[in-house]
Amino acid sequence: MATFHVLQEGPVNALALNRDNTQVAIGGRNVFKVYTIEEDKFREVCNLRASKHLNLSFSCNDVSWSWTDDHYLATAATNGHVCVWNLTKMGKAMQEQDYQEHKRTVNKVNFHASEPNRLISGSQDGTMRYFDIRAKNAVAIFYSNTESVRDVQFSPHNPYTFAAVSENGSVQLWDVRRSDKCQQQFAAHSGPIFACDWHPENTWLATASRDKTIKVWDLTSKLTLEYTIHTIASIGHVKWRPQRRFHIASCALVVDCSINIWDVRRPYIPYASFNEHKDTPSGVAWKEDPHVFLSSGRDSTLYQHSFDYASRPAKKANPQGVSLNNRGEILYAHKTNVSTLVKAPSVGIIRKTSTTQAPDLFHLASSLMHQFTLSTENKSESQIFIGLAKNYILSGRSLSEMCEHNSAVANQYGKNQISVVWKIMKTMYGEEYLQNNSNNNNNNREDVISHNNLPLNMGLDHNNDNDQRSRGGGDTPAAQFSDETENEDQVDHIAIYNNGFPTYLNIRTGLPKGDFSFGENELDMELDGIMTDFQSGYRNFVTPQQDFVLPNEAFHIRHEIRTRSPPPDKFPNNFPVLSDDQNMPFEEQPNNLLTVSCLPKMPLWDPSSIVLDALKHHAMLGDVQTAACVLIVLGEQRKCLSDLDESTQEHWLLGYIELLSRFQLWNIATQIIKLSWIPAVEQLNQQSTRFNTNCSKCSKALQRIGWLCDRCHSSQYAACSVCHQVVKGLYAWCQGCSHGGHLLHMKQWFAVNKMCPTGCRHLCEYK
Amino acid sequence: MFEAQEINAEHKDLIHDVAYDFYGQRMATCSSDQYVKVWDQNSDGKWTLTSSWKAHSGSVWKVTWAHPEFGQVLATCSFDRTAAVWEEIVGETPGPGERGTRHWVRRTNLVDSRTSVTDVKFGPRTQGLQLATCSAEGIIRIYEAPDVLNLSQWTLQFEIQCKLPCSCLSWNPSLSKMHPLMLAVGSDDPNPANGVKVFIYVYSESCRKWTKMDAITNITDPVYDLSFSPNLGRSFHVLAIATKDVKIVNLPHVYDNPNSQNVITKLDAQIVAQFDDHESTVWRVCWNVTGTILASSGDDGCVRMFKMNYINSWKPIAVLRGDGSQVSNEGQRSSVSSTVGPQIQSASQTARYIKLGAISQPRDVPWH
């Protein structure tokens, strides 16, 4: 079934189908035509406005087609006339009757469904008139006692009953035989009611109003409001869908150009929408087939719509919602799976379900919501974050001390990796190291040059050592390394290492024995992992031909080891480099096996690039805490990280501050801002710091420093409410009544009282 | 690993969106029943309904919180063609220590759209109060409140024609001033012939205009949700896209160069992961606050979580059932349908090491 339309000369106000749905009459201010509905188009049968004697009777608000005699049309004219047209006649004779009884516009006209020749009209003048089209005058007049009647509809269940709705929001039920008094009247809406429609089977009446609702009333014995549909705009027209008990079509009066079909049981979202009209639709007429209907619109069109082309707003609607919060909790709302809910009860009534091909589940939409919380046995990431943030020391001590402390803190929270990062920071930038190089921490290049000038403490032996170890750890062929030494830079580097290495060893030996609180193997793994991470960022040490990538191995084996304790005999296997290394002076420092084995690799590279890579690595994994904290602790040393542009530093700091404020760790956030060296971050503490004070007497803003009011020429209103002395210094005041005074006096006062000490009767809140 | 707590929202129709506030202590829900509800968490973790009001005259599609520095502010968008900004008003406290009455006031109603408003999001906090909406007619609108203390005045700053019906949008939340404003918009247009369904727009401060970027060219399936990852310190942006599967896309930083006249209109985006674990339509993608974990939900009724491991490849880590239960044994599903880029492929090869270790199930990976 196709959707098609025909364009008219002007807006169409109403449409009416004939008894067997083959023809349609449309009426508007400048339109009055009859069309035959063909397979895929409308064919004009007759244009009633083709007459030479056009007058206002040809401008219709409404049109109705007789149910009993296919030749009769009735129209409601804007000038208050009700006209009856005989389609079998020609010319002027077509207009068989012209009732000029209504004083104002006629809004609605309707033929009786079973009584031939009977017709009812509802008008803006507040009356309804019952006509016999053979008679010259109305048979009966019904006074609604309201301002205006917008719609009248005969009941399909009782031939004598009709419903009338009016602009004051009330519904009246009348018996055509009794014009003195309505049978029933009730207030249905808070705004004007524009339309009503009787349900074809139930004793339901649907009313549509400007208050953006469609209400369905059950009129059986006791009046009940069955359903309320909330629409997005005032509704001008409603029509029940044939053969679908709960479906009703609606047209908006303004705003909404679509025709919506609602399931009254799901009153929030249309079951189907037809968006073909470019302006608001004015009427809907079903063709007795639930899938086809006609509509007229103020965009001067007449449409035939088919359900094949309906849009289903509910299907586009997102049925799920997910949200994560800073504590790692997950909120999940999702549509309940109704098909499983429905299956169970339908077992006993198989016949009923089998009659409909697919059970209509549209109205059974509902959602379930769950919050998933991390169970308490796992220390959540957020708790660790808070713990680290609270316990890190970022200033006030020497770099080594801070690193040492922070390393221990990280370790305490199970963050071994971060712990090691801090350790490395200590070894690379700690004071002991720096004392030897105190003159040269401005620039990397200068570093290198000045190192060259220093005497080489260690001889070639150690140079060899480094060479060997680089072979073992980084899996770099020695040949390649020696190639690189031809490079001037590399020579420089080796010079540094030779200088830095012994100092470094000194630090290690100076440490207490119980320093590493985790297992030796674990530390080894951690370091390896980090080292290899560094490698991947370091230009010369990862060759493209490498067979395997060490970082992966390093990190995954870590888990494997966790589950079982390593057998002691494995110990030497962990140091293949050492055991193979003939040049290593084991005997000299047997206690430092561990440290010697893995740490001398570090001086192989300029530490700044390694540190940078480490920090970037952490930042990328979302651990901006480590990146920002290390930067802060490094203090002036961060200038060594010349490759780290200020914008990245700013990004990390802002990221960390953002996270801290999410956890409401304001003090720590403020500390970070205070310790920061980037203007954009420092500024954060200088925003909104200004307080304007007003005189407590005349409310004039105090311009001067101090408490002298320019208007009152006195500072006595800055006096303490308790001791009546002018407060110098800290003035504590209630923001509610603006009274206050010395902090100590206020404290004492509110320890026993609740009200303001001035007697203004304000319940000051002082804590 | 997870405990499920059912919250009876008592919405009379589908819940379309849920949102935690900045601190994770309040949440807002919105539903087709045209109501928005705000919940507060008490000290023992129970959620209590504090406000509930009829917000729109149509289904409420999305609800979103503004940064708390602007007050307790919500924005909603609806089928009724409007978006609204709401502010919570706390009444006079009846006495010290007692909580005053609270209610939400509609501060503004944005009525520019002629069709359903499908998404609304507040811009990054650093930009003041900005609000982006997108609609079924394919227009993105960007509003600004010039005075952050006056939430009833919003000016329409930009209208961007997107040609396809929009379903979702996301601001790049980057805090760095170096990164220009960036918006991603998705379309749920079902016809693949209509081309790409993800649009990236970048704002140039010097030209004062939004420029569409050619970034993601190969997503032609309808997109239901997308979300930029919080960027606390990464050197690239990450965008998650919910379509027939979950996609994770890396986008490079864009720098606004005021000196150059020719505006860059191309971004080198890279799809780094693709998960079809839901085996159905994916409706939602959502990041945790650090941008390390991605949660997605789909028609299979599950929330699936993904995390990037140390070698920069994304792996599923947990599955949560919508009925509150946790999937007991999902096993080691081969979920990475295709990974893009040689770097990632080598990573997935080396990932075989995992099986040698103690990790047999994705959920066994320590919660990070």
Side-chain angles (χ1 to χ4, degrees):
Chain A
M1 202 63 82
T3 298
F4 50 90
H5 76 282
V6 59
L7 202 64
Q8 306 298 330
E9 294 82 23
V12 187
N13 288 338
L15 80 169
L17 280 165
N18 68 346
R19 192 175 41 193
D20 33 354
N21 301 318
T22 52
Q23 293 196 322
V24 61
I26 53 168
R29 184 168 283 274
N30 305 314
V31 185
F32 190 12
K33 289 181 189 172
V34 176
Y35 284 96
T36 299
I37 306 158
E38 295 185 342
E39 194 55 43
D40 54 353
K41 67 174 196 290
F42 294 108
R43 187 169 54 82
E44 190 177 311
V45 178
C46 125
N47 185 352
L48 287 95
R49 284 182 68 88
S51 155
K52 282 174 232 150
H53 311 282
L54 281 182
N55 58 40
L56 276 173
S57 305
F58 288 86
S59 299
C60 355
N61 265 344
D62 192 27
V63 53
S64 176
W65 206 308
S66 169
W67 296 96
T68 47
D69 188 337
D70 230 5
H71 302 128
Y72 283 106
L73 275 178
T75 59
T78 46
N79 60 353
H81 294 199
V82 173
C83 305
V84 179
W85 310 82
N86 188 335
L87 294 174
T88 54
K89 300 193 176 165
M90 297 297 287
K92 215 175 174 184
M94 277 183 105
Q95 192 177 352
E96 256 195 14
Q97 294 287 1
D98 186 2
Y99 302 105
Q100 307 182 3
E101 295 193 10
H102 284 294
K103 293 183 189 67
R104 296 180 66 191
T105 297
V106 184
N107 288 321
K108 198 73 193 176
V109 59
N110 255 322
F111 273 101
H112 198 282
S114 50
E115 292 259 331
N117 308 320
R118 293 300 171 114
L119 172 71
I120 198 155
S121 68
S123 159
Q124 201 72 14
D125 64 7
T127 62
M128 294 142 278
R129 282 161 204 263
Y130 193 43
F131 301 100
D132 186 317
I133 59 169
R134 295 161 298 189
K136 277 268 170 258
N137 292 95
V139 181
I141 303 170
F142 306 89
Y143 294 93
S144 74
N145 289 323
T146 63
E147 230 168 69
S148 53
V149 177
R150 292 304 295 243
D151 199 357
V152 277
Q153 296 282 348
F154 283 109
S155 162
H157 317 296
N158 181 342
Y160 300 113
T161 305
F162 71 91
V165 296
S166 56
E167 282 194 357
N168 68 354
S170 66
V171 176
Q172 293 177 336
L173 295 179
W174 292 84
D175 188 317
V176 285
R177 297 163 297 188
R178 294 197 57 184
S179 59
D180 54 331
K181 195 167 157 281
C182 72
Q183 285 180 311
Q184 197 178 359
Q185 174 166 4
F186 57 92
H189 290 268
S190 56
I193 308 177
F194 293 133
C196 66
D197 193 37
W198 290 91
H199 194 280
E201 296 146 35
N202 300 18
T203 51
W204 285 352
L205 182 74
T207 57
S209 160
R210 196 167 74 185
D211 67 5
K212 299 184 184 176
T213 56
I214 300 166
K215 291 183 178 174
V216 178
W217 306 88
D218 189 347
L219 302 171
T220 37
S221 52
K222 193 170 145 276
L223 176 84
T224 46
L225 174 60
E226 291 283 303
Y227 301 103
T228 306
I229 299 169
H230 298 266
T231 59
I232 71 170
S234 310
I235 298 298
H237 193 81
V238 282
K239 208 82 198 165
W240 289 97
R241 187 179 176 197
Q243 297 165 41
R244 294 288 184 277
R245 197 177 159 202
F246 296 101
H247 287 189
I248 189 166
S250 78
C251 306
L253 211 54
V254 287
V255 180
D256 191 359
C257 305
S258 47
I259 298 163
N260 294 317
I261 318 294
W262 303 84
D263 186 316
V264 291
R265 294 165 297 180
R266 190 174 175 190
Y268 307 107
I269 187 162
Y271 171 76
S273 268
F274 297 85
N275 307 312
E276 284 86 357
H277 281 291
K278 300 279 177 291
D279 199 346
T280 50
S282 54
V284 164
W286 293 92
K287 279 178 77 180
E288 286 312 307
D289 172 351
H291 301 292
V292 185
F293 68 95
L294 273 64
S295 73
S296 58
R298 292 184 220 285
D299 57 353
S300 313
T301 54
L302 171 68
Y303 264 97
Q304 173 166 307
H305 303 274
S306 159
F307 251 75
D308 300 339
Y309 300 98
S311 78
R312 307 290 178 104
K315 281 196 176 153
K316 281 204 152 190
N318 193 331
Q320 301 194 335
V322 177
S323 188
L324 266 66
N325 72 1
N326 47 5
R327 293 188 298 276
E329 293 164 351
I330 302 150
L331 198 60
Y332 178 43
H334 63 103
K335 188 177 176 176
T336 351
N337 195 356
V338 280
S339 57
T340 54
L341 288 175
V342 168
K343 253 175 209 160
S346 70
V347 173
I349 41 166
I350 299 158
R351 180 158 294 179
K352 198 177 177 185
T353 47
S354 59
T355 50
T356 54
Q357 308 101 337
D360 182 17
L361 304 171
F362 174 78
H363 63 282
L364 290 170
S366 66
S367 282
L368 266 180
M369 189 158 73
H370 282 95
Q371 174 172 276
F372 296 96
T373 318
L374 277 170
S375 48
T376 40
E377 71 236 37
N378 298 315
K379 204 172 220 174
S380 77
E381 190 65 12
S382 57
Q383 284 167 299
I384 294 172
F385 175 87
I386 295 171
L388 293 181
K390 281 184 176 165
N391 291 311
Y392 274 168
I393 293 178
L394 301 177
S395 67
R397 302 219 202 141
S398 73
L399 203 154
S400 301
E401 278 174 328
M402 287 193 282
C403 289
E404 190 62 44
H405 173 89
N406 295 345
S407 165
V409 170
N411 201 27
Q412 180 196 334
Y413 281 93
K415 288 287 183 185
N416 302 336
Q417 209 186 334
I418 297 170
S419 171
V420 173
V421 171
W422 284 110
K423 292 243 178 230
I424 293 168
M425 290 304 142
K426 184 191 167 188
T427 50
M428 283 177 175
Y429 294 101
E431 277 75 10
E432 295 88 342
Y433 170 72
L434 289 166
Q435 272 158 14
N436 284 0
N437 315 305
S438 51
N439 304 327
N440 44 44
N441 48 14
N442 292 330
N443 187 302
N444 265 335
R445 284 282 148 232
E446 286 173 29
D447 243 350
V448 169
I449 293 160
S450 53
H451 274 304
N452 262 339
N453 300 334
L454 287 168
L456 300 179
N457 296 342
M458 291 292 177
L460 266 171
D461 275 3
H462 270 284
N463 207 349
N464 272 345
D465 270 351
N466 291 334
D467 202 342
Q468 291 288 343
R469 263 171 227 119
S470 73
R471 185 199 294 177
D475 207 30
T476 314
Q480 193 193 342
F481 187 81
S482 56
D483 281 351
E484 280 162 5
T485 52
E486 286 168 23
N487 184 316
E488 261 190 24
D489 266 348
Q490 289 294 328
V491 176
D492 287 348
H493 279 291
I494 288 168
I496 311 172
Y497 311 144
N498 286 338
N499 179 47
F501 184 49
T503 346
Y504 169 74
L505 278 182
N506 291 342
I507 304 163
R508 301 312 302 169
T509 46
L511 286 174
K513 279 189 177 173
D515 190 34
F516 286 110
S517 50
F518 37 77
E520 291 155 330
N521 296 325
E522 201 170 348
L523 171 69
D524 197 33
M525 301 324 280
E526 297 284 2
L527 281 176
D528 267 356
I530 290 161
M531 296 304 294
T532 41
D533 276 335
F534 297 161
Q535 276 180 1
S536 56
Y538 191 69
R539 55 204 147 105
N540 286 330
F541 280 79
V542 173
T543 52
Q545 304 97 312
Q546 268 182 320
D547 291 333
F548 75 101
V549 185
L550 198 56
N552 313 338
E553 183 196 24
F555 279 97
H556 294 307
I557 284 178
R558 174 180 151 206
H559 295 293
E560 191 187 344
I561 284 167
R562 262 192 184 169
T563 54
R564 54 191 157 90
S565 57
D569 59 339
K570 264 199 150 183
F571 183 68
N573 294 338
N574 283 340
F575 305 100
V577 184
L578 279 181
S579 52
D580 292 344
D581 192 347
Q582 302 303 319
N583 297 332
M584 188 67 202
F586 268 113
E587 302 76 23
E588 287 175 24
Q589 289 170 319
N591 291 338
N592 290 317
L593 256 183
L594 171 67
T595 53
V596 171
S597 67
C598 50
L599 289 174
K601 272 189 285 184
M602 259 165 299
L604 273 172
W605 305 288
D606 175 4
S608 68
S609 77
I610 298 166
V611 170
L612 197 58
D613 284 343
L615 297 185
K616 281 183 173 166
H617 175 73
H618 277 279
M620 201 186 67
L621 290 174
D623 180 16
V624 75
Q625 185 177 38
T626 305
C629 289
V630 165
L631 276 187
I632 291 168
V633 165
L634 282 181
E636 286 302 305
Q637 293 297 311
R638 76 178 80 88
K639 285 182 183 156
C640 301
L641 308 173
S642 56
D643 287 344
L644 186 62
D645 52 7
E646 197 161 274
S647 69
T648 311
Q649 297 181 20
E650 181 188 324
H651 195 178
W652 290 352
L653 288 177
L654 288 174
Y656 187 39
I657 292 164
E658 161 98 1
L659 266 188
L660 288 170
S661 54
R662 257 189 207 277
F663 288 100
Q664 297 175 303
L665 300 167
W666 311 114
N667 292 348
I668 300 162
T670 311
Q671 190 197 5
I672 303 291
I673 296 170
K674 199 177 147 201
L675 291 171
S676 101
W677 56 96
I678 291 162
V681 182
E682 279 176 314
Q683 274 170 17
L684 294 174
N685 263 2
Q686 286 146 30
Q687 287 166 358
S688 312
T689 53
R690 194 183 170 87
F691 247 108
N692 292 314
T693 46
N694 292 343
C695 172
S696 62
K697 163 91 173 167
C698 64
S699 307
K700 187 177 165 60
L702 294 175
Q703 305 287 336
R704 300 155 185 262
I705 298 165
W707 298 100
L708 184 70
C709 172
D710 285 334
R711 192 179 290 169
C712 310
H713 300 292
S714 143
S715 61
Q716 62 167 305
Y717 300 105
C720 172
S721 310
V722 177
C723 70
H724 300 288
Q725 300 293 310
V726 173
V727 181
K728 290 188 173 133
L730 200 60
Y731 186 89
W733 89 106
C734 165
Q735 294 184 19
C737 67
S738 82
H739 296 125
H742 293 106
L743 181 61
L744 183 67
H745 292 158
M746 289 294 122
K747 240 181 203 171
Q748 287 167 346
W749 176 266
F750 286 111
V752 284
N753 298 294
K754 275 188 175 169
M755 294 242 193
C756 176
T758 55
C760 74
R761 304 182 64 81
H762 184 259
L763 280 167
C764 304
E765 257 193 276
Y766 178 89
K767 276 173 195 162
Chain B
M1 202 156 88
F2 281 98
E3 283 164 3
Q5 171 194 357
E6 189 174 340
I7 301 163
N8 189 0
E10 284 181 345
H11 275 294
K12 296 191 192 78
D13 205 303
L14 288 187
I15 297 172
H16 294 298
D17 199 11
V18 291
Y20 282 113
D21 78 334
F22 184 76
Y23 304 118
Q25 292 168 339
R26 312 190 85 186
M27 66 174 187
T29 58
C30 67
S31 159
S32 256
D33 68 6
Q34 310 172 354
Y35 271 73
V36 172
K37 298 188 181 194
V38 173
W39 310 70
D40 280 283
Q41 196 169 32
N42 61 13
S43 48
D44 47 305
K46 286 273 177 294
W47 290 96
T48 48
L49 183 67
T50 42
S51 297
S52 171
W53 71 98
K54 186 174 182 290
H56 286 274
S57 49
S59 298
V60 188
W61 297 139
K62 301 273 167 78
V63 61
T64 183
W65 292 87
H67 191 276
E69 81 173 37
F70 303 112
Q72 292 295 310
V73 178
L74 281 175
T76 54
C77 65
S78 163
F79 182 69
D80 72 0
R81 298 144 189 236
T82 64
V85 176
W86 307 85
E87 187 178 19
E88 190 179 40
I89 303 296
V90 179
E92 285 282 311
T93 49
E98 286 176 59
R99 243 191 41 188
T101 54
R102 288 149 180 251
H103 61 281
W104 289 79
V105 187
R106 191 206 306 262
R107 287 300 186 200
T108 193
N109 211 16
L110 306 167
V111 295
D112 299 281
S113 175
R114 291 179 61 83
T115 55
S116 171
V117 183
T118 48
D119 204 349
V120 62
K121 289 274 155 42
F122 283 103
R125 169 172 62 112
T126 46
Q127 303 296 322
L129 262 179
Q130 286 200 1
L131 199 61
T133 66
C134 66
S135 64
E137 69 201 319
I139 298 177
I140 304 153
R141 292 184 175 84
I142 293 161
Y143 299 88
E144 188 171 3
D147 176 8
V148 294
L149 296 173
N150 181 4
L151 290 166
S152 45
Q153 235 184 25
W154 291 81
T155 50
L156 179 59
Q157 298 278 18
F158 297 99
E159 258 191 2
I160 307 166
Q161 293 280 348
C162 189
K163 292 194 181 72
L164 289 178
C166 303
S167 58
C168 50
L169 68 89
S170 175
W171 291 86
N172 184 354
S174 176
L175 299 161
S176 173
K177 289 195 185 71
M178 298 301 292
H179 304 150
L181 285 175
M182 197 188 267
L183 260 180
V185 178
S187 168
D188 59 355
D189 183 280
N191 187 357
N194 285 340
V196 190
K197 300 293 155 55
V198 179
F199 310 96
I200 309 281
Y201 296 91
V202 173
Y203 182 66
S204 156
E205 196 69 57
S206 47
C207 311
R208 292 184 178 280
K209 70 173 191 188
W210 287 88
T211 316
K212 188 175 161 185
M213 292 281 168
D214 286 330
I216 297 154
T217 52
N218 47 356
I219 298 176
T220 54
D221 298 307
V223 170
Y224 303 101
D225 196 15
L226 43 73
S227 177
F228 268 109
S229 151
N231 188 348
L232 302 177
R234 281 194 183 121
S235 55
F236 50 88
H237 304 302
V238 183
L239 179 69
I241 299 167
T243 164
K244 65 182 199 303
D245 51 15
V246 180
K247 288 188 170 70
I248 301 170
V249 178
N250 283 1
L251 289 166
H253 282 179
V254 184
Y255 294 101
D256 189 10
N257 186 359
N259 303 323
S260 78
Q261 286 300 308
N262 45 344
V263 187
I264 327 145
T265 57
K266 201 162 160 47
L267 272 180
D268 197 17
Q270 198 184 21
I271 298 179
V272 291
Q274 220 164 281
F275 297 98
D276 57 0
D277 295 29
H278 286 289
E279 294 175 335
S280 57
T281 304
V282 184
W283 287 108
R284 285 297 179 149
V285 282
C286 181
W287 295 92
N288 69 345
V289 292
T290 49
T292 49
I293 293 169
L294 176 71
S296 69
S297 83
D299 262 344
D300 60 348
C302 292
V303 178
R304 293 174 187 272
M305 303 177 70
F306 307 95
K307 186 180 181 333
M308 190 173 78
N309 64 12
Y310 293 97
I311 48 167
N312 303 353
S313 94
W314 290 88
K315 294 272 181 260
I317 54 163
V319 182
L320 306 166
R321 277 255 171 80
D323 53 12
S325 67
Q326 198 167 346
V327 174
S328 54
N329 197 353
E330 275 287 300
Q332 182 88 341
R333 298 174 50 157
S334 59
S335 47
V336 185
S337 61
S338 72
T339 47
V340 184
Q343 187 195 355
I344 305 304
Q345 261 163 22
S346 73
S348 59
Q349 278 163 18
T350 50
R352 268 187 233 127
Y353 279 100
I354 295 173
K355 290 177 184 168
L356 302 174
I359 304 163
S360 59
Q361 291 172 18
R363 68 194 188 99
D364 281 349
V365 176
W367 180 247
H368 184 84

